[in-house]
């Protein structure tokens, strides 16, 4: 018999009493995720990420008061409850691994960004006065990321964000704010992670790199002799030409106007 058997049964009984099980499991994942990140005050984002008011959050979790303290913010009374959640053999359907918690935390950030940007698209006048500054901003703008996950998890979590980026290309440019910056930072993290994986999988030939570098320098030098429109066309064509010689798959993707815009946005961000 497990030494935690009686304690685990008590935990499970309390968890089963919660009416909104889906909400509970999402919050437990958020709890594991944010406690896995060494950043202060992440609890301040609980209502934003769960998309509820403080009052509603407390009401939905009111049956959890035996396991969670509500003041000064919602947190566990003791680390043993987190240990229970992260042990599949003990928590069963309520199990949340550290990786699972971090991934759900990232997904909730993406959901929050999408809600905010979508509202800004529909109500641009309201967005002009946006002062939202969530704590996850400080998590996302750190390099390397504090959300340590495999690139596959990042790709899956950010899929909805890439769809939103496509929508943004057909709307007037939004006024920059903390949330639009978070969107850029998330995309940049993904690009960096994908680049690292590709670099590890394939070491390019040094002569080919030298050739591509020379062509890039030539493009920059000749750009000053053309009109702005010609500069853009020539640089983009040159980029495709270089990519075709090193990575035909990437070149095919960059041909997409959508991906080209993302690339330009990322270059703009890096050069700030």
């Amino acid at each position: 018999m497990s030494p935690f058997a009686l304690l685990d049964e008590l935990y499970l009984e309390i968890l089963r009493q919660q009416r909104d099980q889906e909400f509970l499991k999402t919050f437990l994942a958020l709890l594991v995720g944010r406690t896995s990140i060494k950043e202060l005050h992440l609890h301040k984002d609980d209502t934003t990420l769960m998309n509820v008011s403080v009052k509603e959050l407390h009401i939905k979790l009111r049956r959890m008061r035996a396991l969670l303290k509500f003041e000064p913010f919602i947190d566990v009374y003791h680390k043993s409850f987190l240990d229970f959640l992260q042990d599949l053999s003990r928590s069963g359907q309520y199990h949340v691994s550290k990786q699972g918690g971090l991934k759900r935390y990232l997904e909730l950030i993406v959901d929050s960004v999408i809600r905010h940007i979508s509202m800004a698209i529909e109500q641009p006048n309201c967005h002009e006065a946006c002062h939202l500054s969530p704590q996850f901003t400080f998590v996302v703008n750190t390099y390397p990321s504090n959300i340590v996950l495999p690139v596959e998890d990042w790709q899956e979590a950010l899929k909805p964000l890439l769809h939103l980026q496509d929508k943004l290309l057909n709307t007037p440019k939004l006024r920059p704010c903390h949330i639009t910056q978070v969107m850029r930072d998330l995309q940049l993290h993904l690009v960096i992670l994908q680049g690292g994986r590709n670099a590890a999988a394939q070491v390019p030939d040094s002569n080919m790199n030298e050739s591509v570098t020379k062509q890039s320098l030539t493009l920059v030098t000749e750009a000053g002799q053309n009109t702005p429109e010609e500069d853009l066309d020539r640089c983009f064509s040159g980029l495709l030409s270089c990519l075709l010689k090193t990575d035909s798959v990437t070149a095919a993707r960059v041909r997409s106007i959508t991906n080209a815009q993302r690339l330009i946005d990322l270059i703009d961000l890096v050069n700030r």
Side-chain angles (χ1 to χ4, degrees):
M1 182 177 179
S2 168
F4 302 108
L6 294 178
L7 179 63
D8 292 350
E9 187 56 39
L10 175 62
Y11 284 159
L12 290 171
E13 181 61 27
I14 295 172
L15 290 169
R16 294 189 193 106
Q17 291 178 4
Q18 308 312 303
R19 293 180 178 177
D20 192 338
Q21 288 286 306
E22 183 178 354
F23 186 92
L24 171 65
K25 291 177 181 179
T26 298
F27 184 80
L28 293 177
L30 167 59
L31 187 62
V32 171
R34 67 167 165 83
T35 54
S36 300
I37 300 173
K38 295 180 179 179
E39 186 72 46
L40 298 175
H41 309 305
L42 294 184
H43 60 273
K44 293 182 178 180
D45 292 336
D46 286 352
T47 54
T48 299
L49 295 177
M50 296 299 294
N51 195 28
V52 294
S53 66
V54 174
K55 181 178 180 180
E56 187 176 2
L57 180 63
H58 285 196
I59 290 175
K60 282 183 171 291
L61 296 176
R62 65 186 181 278
R63 295 174 183 265
M64 289 288 292
R65 288 184 178 275
L67 301 179
L68 301 176
K69 58 182 179 180
F70 282 49
E71 297 296 339
F73 56 88
I74 297 180
D75 198 5
V76 296
Y77 282 110
H78 195 273
K79 184 178 176 294
S80 62
F81 182 55
L82 292 176
D83 295 336
F84 161 80
L85 291 175
Q86 295 180 65
D87 188 333
L88 176 60
S89 65
R90 298 175 61 192
S91 53
Q93 63 172 313
Y94 299 101
H95 170 250
V96 183
S97 65
K98 179 179 178 180
Q99 179 176 333
L102 285 172
K103 183 180 180 183
R104 193 71 184 102
Y105 179 70
L106 179 59
E107 290 172 342
L108 291 172
I109 290 177
V110 170
D111 289 345
S112 179
V113 169
I114 290 175
R115 283 195 301 271
H116 183 87
I117 299 298
S118 297
M119 182 186 69
I121 292 174
E122 296 172 3
Q123 305 175 34
N125 292 334
C126 294
H127 185 248
E128 290 296 321
C130 173
H131 299 294
L132 183 62
S133 181
Q135 294 299 309
F136 60 70
T137 301
F138 303 105
V139 176
V140 173
N141 68 9
T142 301
Y143 297 89
S145 175
N146 287 324
I147 305 177
V148 182
L149 289 169
V151 64
E152 292 78 12
D153 284 350
W154 273 86
Q155 289 172 328
E156 187 174 347
L158 264 61
K159 277 182 181 178
L161 202 61
L162 299 180
H163 294 320
L164 177 65
Q165 182 72 21
D166 292 340
K167 185 177 180 180
L168 282 173
L169 293 176
N170 299 315
T171 61
K173 186 175 181 179
L174 296 177
R175 175 182 175 275
C177 68
H178 290 293
I179 303 302
T180 57
Q181 184 60 47
V182 166
M183 182 175 67
R184 285 172 170 265
D185 286 335
L186 287 171
Q187 291 175 319
L188 183 56
H189 276 302
L190 180 57
V191 169
I192 291 173
L193 287 170
Q194 290 175 325
R197 184 179 65 174
N198 292 338
Q202 177 181 0
V203 180
D205 181 78
S206 59
N207 291 332
M208 181 63 73
N209 276 345
E210 183 178 354
S211 174
V212 171
T213 301
K214 288 180 179 178
Q215 290 186 43
S216 300
L217 290 173
T218 300
L219 288 172
V220 173
T221 302
E222 294 181 358
Q225 303 173 5
N226 302 322
T227 65
E229 292 78 7
E230 291 173 338
D231 289 348
L232 181 59
D233 291 340
R234 178 169 175 74
C235 288
F236 188 62
S237 298
L239 173 62
L240 285 174
S241 176
C242 293
L243 286 172
L244 283 168
K245 295 180 180 180
T246 57
D247 188 344
S248 58
V249 175
T250 301
R253 290 176 179 172
V254 174
R255 287 183 188 277
S256 161
I257 295 299
T258 298
N259 288 339
Q261 181 62 50
R262 290 183 192 140
L263 180 60
I264 292 170
D265 286 344
L266 290 170
I267 292 173
D268 175 64
L269 175 60
V270 172
N271 288 333
R272 286 183 180 181

